[in-house]
Amino acid sequence: MLEKERKQAQFPQLEMSHLLYGDKEGFDKFIERQTFFDNHPLFKVDFNFFNKSRQDQILLNAQKTIEAVKNLDLANQKYYTPNILCPQGNFISTVHFAMVIPAFQVLASDDQIERWMPSLKNFYAFGCYAQSELGHGSDVQSILTVATFDKTTSEFIIHTPNVEATKFWPGELGLYCEFALVFAQLIVDGKNHGVHPFWIRIRDKDTHRPMQGVQIGDIGPKMGFAVKDNGYMSFDHFRAPLDSLLNRYIKVSSDGKVERQGNPKVGYASMLYMRNILCDQYTKFAGKALTVAVRYSLYRRQFKDDNKQEILILDYQCQQQKLFPLLAEFYACVFGSIKIKELTNENFNKITQQNDFSMLNLTHSILSAAKSNYTYFVANCAEWCRLSCGGHGFAHYSGLPTIFFEMSPNIVLEGENTILNLQLARYLLKQLQNTVSKPDSVPSYFQFLSTDTVKIQDVTTIQSLATLLGCNCSILTRYAASKFMAHSDLQDSWDTKSGIALAKAASAFIPYFNMICFIDTIQYKAKDTKEILTVLAQVYGITMLLNNFQGLLLKNQISSEQIKLLQDTREQLYPIIRRNALSLVEAQGLSDNTLQSLIAPKDGDVYENMYRYASQDNSLNKQKVHEGVTYIKKMKEVNAKL
């Protein structure tokens, strides 16, 4: 049914695939791993998965992890794709490889890395990242767990002083991990030296029971993350050896002397790696949702035209308005994430190989903004794709509810999005000041802050749209700065007077950043895909401006006529995207098994798929008469007595 749609595409799909995965090697590696999942019986999509208990789902996911470890190099950071591919669940190795090992590479001394890294990579030392507590998450410096140095034994006494200090949410903590990277306030001779990481064995090597002085468990079901074992942990004066402190940047001698070296913000470096994964890999879940929605919109027909022919719902302008701006934003986020991945890797290498922290603040600021923007986009995209598929979008067999449930938690984990926007806002204010005092020090990504006026004839070109987006962010930043500086108590001003304006300014940065990354891709990487990518970039830029042009309005940098032109231009571009829509989503190379959707097969009968599952495969229908009917009879008896 979709062959006609594929043949009318106006660009080479393979070139687009290479762009979406960074290069040919990235795409080929993705297909190689996807083929493994498609052909392994354990990874075949089973829509009765959602009829299973959480306990059974967790055990099944553990089996999948073992098979993946046997056959794939899960520790290879360059191809961190399993969670995108693996149907119905996150591997239990995710946190270990994405957070624990990177933290070790940054925070541990050479001796500690030499001692532990082999065991970390082969799971002999399986750990979790225990930072967040019941009472504190994003405010890391205020966490309450303490590690008090005991000079008499040269040990650290790890203690949870109250219930708020209970470690809460670490993945794989409740059931699986033998070790934990515990972040605690370091106390030596009564002096607090701040939050530092301690590598601690929390379960017995032979029995797997919690060590004496450690209490552990699972926190229970959540919105999404059904197979993820998020846990809690508290300590009762637990004693940890001297070398449990990861000591590349701070050392405590056996007699209690504290020695600091390096940048105190180094802890950010390891957290940035996980945020990079959220941007680089989890953004692709929006692509999965769009593939389902676009394909279904080409299968589904509703209402008849003048010739009594039912109309494909993707031909309706309102359906295009739901999906095409999201499709353009998906491409923009992918190209932005590729650049962010380059920045993150360069920063990581500078820190670990050269002890060079010159890129840390820049990378941290951009990643904070991107994590906030991208994770919200993915959840929003999944929800709109679900709604665009009507009633069938609500069923698990569509594949869409799972994406929404699994992606929504990312908005608050690894840094709550509002807090992350405010962290970028602080950097924006600093660079705004530098445009005056030290203009040569302003990174290229933030040089737009030097101006708050534009003179543009045609607002619809991609270069003009980038300029307008930058100007919008600049004006909003200046407005936020004026509100912030209007009060003598700057801390109170930040907390209670200017927070909304600061967050607003920060939220306007990533649309500009994505746009310049989009333009860079078109100019320097695209060949035969330039034309369609330019259309997508236009739709993206226009949509971002129409969603937020408050800054431009504040300084009269955009007129009502220009706003109308932007709206009209976007609608005029939709037919071009309509012709190429299927190939634009299929350029991701996603198999039916990866999509996990009965309503969007690459080929086949959608309605036959759904009916076959309901009538033949749904495990609830295996009983001729369900045992729940006995309660219906009891209801009748109750009513009869009444």
Side-chain angles (χ1 to χ4, degrees), residues 361-394:
N361 288 336
L362 170 67
T363 308
H364 172 254
S365 299
I366 292 178
L367 252 178
S368 294
K371 187 271 174 183
S372 174
N373 181 284
Y374 291 7
T375 54
Y376 174 76
F377 160 66
V378 174
N380 183 58
C381 180
E383 174 68 350
W384 274 106
C385 287
R386 184 175 68 85
L387 295 173
S388 74
C389 293
H392 291 308
F394 282 73

Side-chain angles (χ1 to χ4, degrees), residues 126-398:
F126 182 36
C128 64
Y129 193 90
Q131 178 173 288
S132 295
E133 298 177 351
L134 262 176
H136 293 89
S138 297
D139 186 8
V140 177
Q141 296 309 310
S142 296
I143 65 176
L144 300 174
T145 302
V146 293
T148 304
F149 185 69
D150 183 352
K151 281 186 178 181
T152 61
T153 62
S154 295
E155 294 174 311
F156 295 105
I157 302 173
I158 314 296
H159 185 60
T160 303
N162 54 45
V163 68
E164 290 183 22
T166 304
K167 294 299 180 183
F168 221 77
W169 284 104
E172 281 74 65
L173 169 60
L175 302 177
Y176 294 122
C177 286
E178 296 176 299
F179 292 83
L181 191 59
V182 177
F183 287 78
Q185 303 283 355
L186 172 61
I187 310 294
V188 181
D189 287 333
K191 181 180 178 181
N192 191 331
H193 293 270
V195 177
H196 295 281
F198 297 81
W199 182 241
I200 298 171
R201 173 175 281 282
I202 58 174
R203 283 187 169 96
D204 183 87
K205 182 179 180 180
D206 298 318
T207 67
H208 199 68
R209 292 183 178 276
M211 301 290 285
Q212 185 175 356
V214 182
Q215 184 179 11
I216 308 174
D218 179 82
I219 68 171
K222 307 160 290 286
M223 176 180 170
F225 285 16
V227 303
K228 177 62 67 176
D229 162 35
N230 297 95
Y232 69 87
M233 175 170 58
S234 62
F235 298 93
D236 183 5
H237 298 91
F238 177 81
R239 289 184 171 269
L242 180 63
D243 65 353
S244 63
L245 171 66
L246 298 194
N247 58 21
R248 178 173 290 275
Y249 298 99
I250 185 167
K251 294 182 179 179
V252 178
S253 66
S254 59
D255 58 355
K257 292 181 180 179
V258 179
E259 178 185 352
R260 288 180 178 271
Q261 56 188 18
N263 193 316
K265 295 183 178 180
V266 68
Y268 283 129
S270 57
M271 287 192 293
L272 295 187
Y273 188 78
M274 185 59 193
R275 289 178 186 171
N276 176 58
I277 289 175
L278 289 171
C279 295
D280 179 46
Q281 295 298 326
Y282 285 77
T283 299
K284 292 182 170 62
F285 276 92
K288 291 178 68 171
L290 284 162
T291 303
V292 172
V294 167
R295 278 188 182 166
Y296 179 73
S297 297
L298 291 168
Y299 280 117
R300 183 76 166 182
R301 296 175 181 270
Q302 290 287 284
F303 307 108
K304 295 179 180 178
D305 59 18
D306 293 339
N307 297 319
K308 307 300 182 184
Q309 297 296 314
E310 287 188 308
I311 303 171
L312 290 173
I313 61 174
L314 196 59
D315 288 334
Y316 287 107
Q317 189 184 52
C318 287
Q319 185 76 343
Q320 295 173 8
Q321 175 63 19
K322 290 178 184 177
L323 297 177
F324 291 173
L326 293 172
L327 180 57
E329 189 169 359
F330 165 68
Y331 268 78
C333 289
V334 168
F335 296 144
S337 72
I338 291 172
K339 174 57 67 177
I340 289 170
K341 186 177 182 179
E342 293 173 0
L343 286 173
T344 304
N345 289 339
E346 184 179 355
N347 173 64
F348 196 77
N349 290 335
K350 279 180 176 288
I351 291 175
T352 57
Q353 298 174 16
Q354 305 170 32
N355 201 33
D356 180 353
F357 293 84
S358 59
M359 288 185 61
L360 179 58
N361 288 336
L362 170 67
T363 308
H364 172 254
S365 299
I366 292 178
L367 252 178
S368 294
K371 187 271 174 183
S372 174
N373 181 284
Y374 291 7
T375 54
Y376 174 76
F377 160 66
V378 174
N380 183 58
C381 180
E383 174 68 350
W384 274 106
C385 287
R386 184 175 68 85
L387 295 173
S388 74
C389 293
H392 291 308
F394 282 73
H396 266 303
Y397 59 64
S398 73

Side-chain angles (χ1 to χ4, degrees), residues 413-483:
L413 64 80
E414 297 312 317
E416 193 275 332
N417 281 2
T418 301
I419 301 299
L420 294 184
N421 269 335
L422 290 173
Q423 290 177 355
L424 171 68
R426 194 178 298 277
Y427 190 79
L428 284 170
L429 294 185
K430 178 181 178 181
Q431 297 309 321
L432 179 62
Q433 184 180 34
N434 286 343
T435 60
V436 177
S437 60
K438 297 187 293 183
D440 293 339
S441 70
V442 179
S444 60
Y445 299 112
F446 293 88
Q447 289 177 1
F448 67 88
L449 290 168
S450 62
T451 181
D452 61 351
T453 59
V454 290
K455 291 183 179 179
I456 294 175
Q457 296 297 321
D458 182 1
V459 295
T460 65
T461 69
I462 55 177
Q463 289 78 11
S464 296
L465 290 166
T467 301
L468 287 167
L469 288 167
C471 185
N472 187 58
C473 185
S474 177
I475 296 170
L476 289 172
T477 301
R478 291 162 187 262
Y479 173 72
S482 66
K483 293 200 71 171

Side-chain angles (χ1 to χ4, degrees), residues 486-532:
H487 306 275
S488 58
D489 186 337
L490 294 184
Q491 186 60 55
D492 181 64
S493 178
W494 183 275
D495 293 335
T496 67
K497 304 293 193 305
S498 57
I500 295 173
L502 289 163
K504 182 76 170 179
S507 69
F509 171 72
I510 285 298
Y512 165 76
F513 177 83
N514 280 351
M515 194 66 187
I516 61 176
C517 292
F518 213 142
I519 292 173
D520 183 78
T521 301
I522 293 169
Q523 291 181 340
Y524 300 109
K525 297 180 181 179
K527 295 178 181 179
D528 297 326
T529 53
K530 286 182 183 290
E531 185 175 343
I532 186 61

